[in-house]
Amino acid sequence: MKYIDYKEQRKHGTFNFPIAYYHEQPRSPRYYMPYHWHTEYEIIQIISGSFHLTINNETQIYHAGDILFITDGYLHGGTPENCVYECIVFDLQVLMKDNHACSKMIQDITSHKILIHTLLSEHDPEISMIAANLFSALSSRKIGYEFKTQGYLYQLLGEILEHHLYEQNTFDAMVSERLNSIKNVLSYISDNYSKNIKLEQLAKIAGMNEKYFCRYFRSMTERTPIDYLNYYRIECACEMLSTKSISIKEAALSCGFNDESYFIKTFHKYKGITPKQFMTSEF
């Protein structure tokens, strides 16, 4: 799955309406969320089940009814458990077009002077109502939904600011440097996952020795670098098998597996089913 590349290249929405909606459930090829980052903001609404979400180097478990906010540029990824969830990915600048009344606060958000809390629904029930309307407008796409969507985003930000669901940013140069080194590794994996990648290559890109790199990478992603590489390859294979007319062998070769039987074994390890079963599943 390249639902989101490590440095995500996917275009969300259109030039004039850069807001996209995604609905994910267990048999969806984009169900799992590999560690990644993008220049847009993201709102997640958990409908059922639970979601293990890691942002930068902190992991929390969230549950049905939770509304989550992810700041642009943040490394994040997650593992859903019997979960159905929805995502909205959007460019916050859309709310500044020809609107000077709110530009100062939006600039404070986009410049990271203030950081919005990840969990929004915990202390303010109004947030859940606004989010429900926001997701409903985008999923239904009825005439006029563009107006409603932007209106609900303004409402959401207003509620966040009114109830101070944010904090002033405190910059840690060392943490930032380490996060950037992991971003470089993830970008390399994204560009080269079909090739033979060695641990020593990844450690060199991160600027760390192999032992420290493995420990730090695992603290960030809850996987070893090679385990994560294979996990990412399988997610890419899922997208290929669900969107292209290719054979299992072709998908294996395209995703860096030279041995088809090993690919099938690895696929089953991460997905719980074989590639053939995945191809015949209904999403």
Side-chain angles (χ1 to χ4, degrees):
M1 152 181 118
K2 297 189 88 175
Y3 153 57
I4 326 201
D5 237 338
Y6 287 123
K7 163 57 176 75
E8 187 173 37
Q9 306 299 327
R10 182 172 181 157
K11 181 71 175 177
H12 297 287
T14 64
F15 177 77
N16 290 319
F17 191 72
I19 304 172
Y21 165 82
Y22 304 99
H23 179 90
E24 311 297 348
Q25 44 85 16
R27 287 304 184 194
S28 167
R30 299 179 183 132
Y31 179 57
Y32 291 93
M33 185 184 288
Y35 215 48
H36 69 285
W37 64 285
H38 43 69
T39 58
E40 295 87 3
Y41 290 77
E42 185 168 359
I43 300 171
I44 300 174
Q45 176 173 249
I46 302 176
I47 299 172
S48 62
S50 60
F51 198 104
H52 294 247
L53 178 67
T54 299
I55 299 180
N56 290 337
N57 58 352
E58 295 184 5
T59 301
Q60 296 288 336
I61 302 176
Y62 299 101
H63 305 279
D66 287 343
I67 308 297
L68 313 176
F69 189 95
I70 300 174
T71 296
D72 68 318
Y74 274 20
L75 279 166
H76 60 283
T79 304
E81 292 186 2
N82 299 315
C83 184
V84 176
Y85 65 99
E86 298 173 300
C87 300
I88 293 172
V89 184
F90 63 100
D91 183 350
L92 193 57
Q93 297 291 339
V94 71
L95 300 183
M96 291 182 64
K97 292 182 178 180
D98 301 318
N99 182 356
H100 302 293
C102 304
S103 61
K104 174 60 171 63
M105 290 306 301
I106 292 177
Q107 285 173 356
D108 284 348
I109 295 170
T110 57
S111 66
H112 294 184
K113 288 184 178 178
I114 63 174
L115 300 175
I116 295 175
H117 294 171
T118 300
L119 180 59
L120 296 180
S121 53
E122 184 176 21
H123 302 296
D124 184 4
E126 187 69 20
I127 292 284
S128 296
M129 185 180 301
I130 296 170
N133 290 331
L134 173 61
F135 280 90
S136 176
L138 272 168
S139 62
S140 64
R141 296 177 67 89
K142 295 179 180 179
I143 294 176
Y145 81 96
E146 298 95 338
F147 291 95
K148 288 185 175 182
T149 296
Q150 292 179 80
Y152 292 136
L153 282 173
Y154 279 120
Q155 278 189 288
L156 184 65
L157 290 177
E159 199 71 15
I160 289 169
L161 295 172
E162 179 183 349
H163 294 277
H164 209 276
L165 302 178
Y166 63 90
E167 59 190 34
Q168 299 295 324
N169 189 13
T170 54
F171 181 75
D172 188 321
M174 182 175 292
V175 171
S176 179
E177 182 178 351
R178 289 177 179 174
L179 289 174
N180 285 333
S181 71
I182 295 298
K183 286 181 179 180
N184 291 336
V185 170
L186 299 179
S187 294
Y188 181 83
I189 290 175
S190 173
D191 293 337
N192 299 279
Y193 68 92
S194 62
K195 302 175 183 177
N196 184 25
I197 298 177
K198 301 291 187 181
L199 176 62
E200 60 185 302
Q201 293 174 270
L202 301 179
K204 185 176 181 180
I205 291 168
M208 306 175 187
N209 65 54
E210 291 184 25
K211 184 176 181 180
Y212 180 78
F213 170 65
C214 287
R215 185 167 66 247
Y216 185 68
F217 191 94
R218 187 163 192 167
S219 73
M220 295 286 290
T221 67
E222 299 186 341
R223 296 179 186 273
T224 67
I226 299 304
D227 178 41
Y228 207 92
L229 171 62
N230 286 330
Y231 162 70
Y232 183 75
R233 284 169 166 165
I234 294 301
E235 292 301 313
C236 291
C238 284
E239 184 176 55
M240 290 182 185
L241 292 171
S242 62
T243 60
K244 299 180 180 179
S245 297
I246 61 173
S247 67
I248 292 173
K249 184 176 182 179
E250 288 172 329
L253 292 173
S254 296
C255 294
F257 293 93
N258 296 322
D259 187 325
E260 185 178 352
S261 62
Y262 178 66
F263 168 69
I264 294 173
K265 180 179 179 181
T266 306
F267 193 102
H268 190 275
K269 172 185 174 181
Y270 292 111
K271 309 304 290 186
I273 56 176
T274 65
K276 186 175 181 180
Q277 290 171 324
F278 177 83
M279 294 173 72
T280 57
S281 297
E282 293 184 3
F283 301 110

